[in-house]
Amino acid sequence: MTTARQVRRLVRPLLKRHPDLALVASHSLWLTPVTHVARVIHIGRTSSAHYCDPKWWLLPLFLPNTNPMKRIGFCCVDIYPPTDDSKSLDLWFWDNPIMSSELLARIEKALRLMRTLDDLRSCRSFTEAHMNYTWGKTFNENLVYDIAMGNLNLARCWWQKVKTSYPRLCERIHEIGPPLMDDDRTALAAVLHRWERENVAGTAVEPFWTPTPFPLEKTG
């Protein structure tokens, strides 16, 4: 298994160069401040102690069932080793002398993209335009995402699909139905803020989280 010590040693140069990066829960780098959608680089463990499995993802924190410390995000992108045969790096092997520099270069590239995804709209647009596969993009998640974006007419369409497909709705999803049908933006925003706060509270990411308004609150 990849150890916390290996990860700390690997990412130390990144943390020195980028003050907006935070190492959270030993294996994940989070861009800060953390708002509605977390931007995470994860140095994942594998079944072998000899190599790691790095990925980056976008994780909406305002969904009703989000666990920031356990859940893989809405988009999940593998960070692959170089394909040049001269590099001799088929996997991210810890004992390969070029592993650290090559992986850090690819993380730097991912960071440049992730910094452009600095609000809910840009994250949503990127997901829709560029990702062939979006992790866990269910009716429920589309419903809540469109509420957050202020797309309430579309959200009401999703609500009908959710009720049809999931007749036994969880209590959290159930509570957005009445304010959604009443077009009550204030009540909807209050629910999403509460979900986000409850998801983050008590986790390792809480010190880096900054509550911010939803686009829902800026449109009418």
Side-chain angles (χ1 to χ4, degrees):
M1 293 289 186
T2 293
T3 67
R5 179 179 297 179
Q6 287 173 308
V7 174
R8 286 197 302 270
R9 187 185 308 122
L10 172 72
V11 304
R12 191 176 297 128
L14 291 171
L15 295 172
K16 288 182 178 179
R17 285 196 293 269
H18 303 290
D20 60 345
L21 275 180
L23 182 61
V24 176
S26 78
H27 283 69
S28 295
L29 289 167
W30 290 53
L31 271 174
T32 64
V34 177
T35 57
H36 300 308
V37 181
R39 297 162 293 171
V40 182
I41 293 172
H42 184 71
I43 313 299
R45 295 181 173 95
T46 68
S47 58
S48 169
H50 301 297
Y51 64 92
C52 62
D53 180 27
K55 305 176 186 291
W56 70 267
W57 58 64
L58 304 175
L59 177 60
L61 298 174
F62 55 89
L63 298 177
N65 57 346
T66 296
N67 184 327
M69 297 295 98
K70 294 182 179 180
R71 184 174 176 185
I72 295 176
F74 211 60
C75 299
C76 185
V77 183
D78 290 301
I79 300 177
Y80 291 111
T83 55
D84 183 353
D85 291 340
S86 66
K87 299 287 188 181
S88 301
L89 191 60
D90 297 325
L91 294 170
W92 293 115
F93 286 106
W94 288 106
D95 61 358
N96 190 307
I98 68 169
M99 180 272 203
S100 177
S101 60
E102 291 292 336
L103 180 51
L104 290 181
R106 279 155 180 76
I107 290 176
E108 291 275 12
K109 182 178 180 181
L111 284 172
R112 288 194 290 274
L113 171 59
M114 293 166 72
R115 282 197 179 88
T116 69
L117 308 176
D118 57 357
D119 60 22
L120 190 58
R121 292 188 185 279
S122 60
C123 290
R124 176 70 161 186
S125 296
F126 179 82
T127 300
E128 295 298 325
H130 298 288
M131 304 306 296
N132 292 327
Y133 181 74
T134 52
W135 194 285
K137 194 174 177 187
T138 65
F139 288 159
N140 286 357
E141 289 168 326
N142 275 311
L143 164 66
V144 179
Y145 224 121
D146 275 311
I147 290 173
M149 294 290 294
N151 303 327
L152 298 192
N153 286 335
L154 183 56
R156 281 186 276 269
C157 295
W158 287 122
W159 176 245
Q160 297 305 320
K161 291 180 180 292
V162 166
K163 289 198 301 180
T164 301
S165 301
Y166 306 98
R168 294 183 179 180
L169 295 173
C170 70
E171 184 177 346
R172 275 190 148 187
I173 285 291
H174 232 309
E175 67 180 297
I176 61 176
L180 176 60
M181 301 311 292
D182 290 341
D183 208 42
D184 188 341
R185 291 172 177 267
T186 300
L188 288 169
V191 170
L192 298 194
H193 281 299
R194 175 165 49 81
W195 288 350
E196 184 173 299
R197 184 174 61 253
E198 291 173 353
N199 289 336
V200 170
T203 70
V205 76
E206 186 176 11
F208 309 103
W209 173 63
T210 301
T212 56
F214 288 101
L216 165 71
E217 299 169 85
K218 301 175 184 179
T219 59

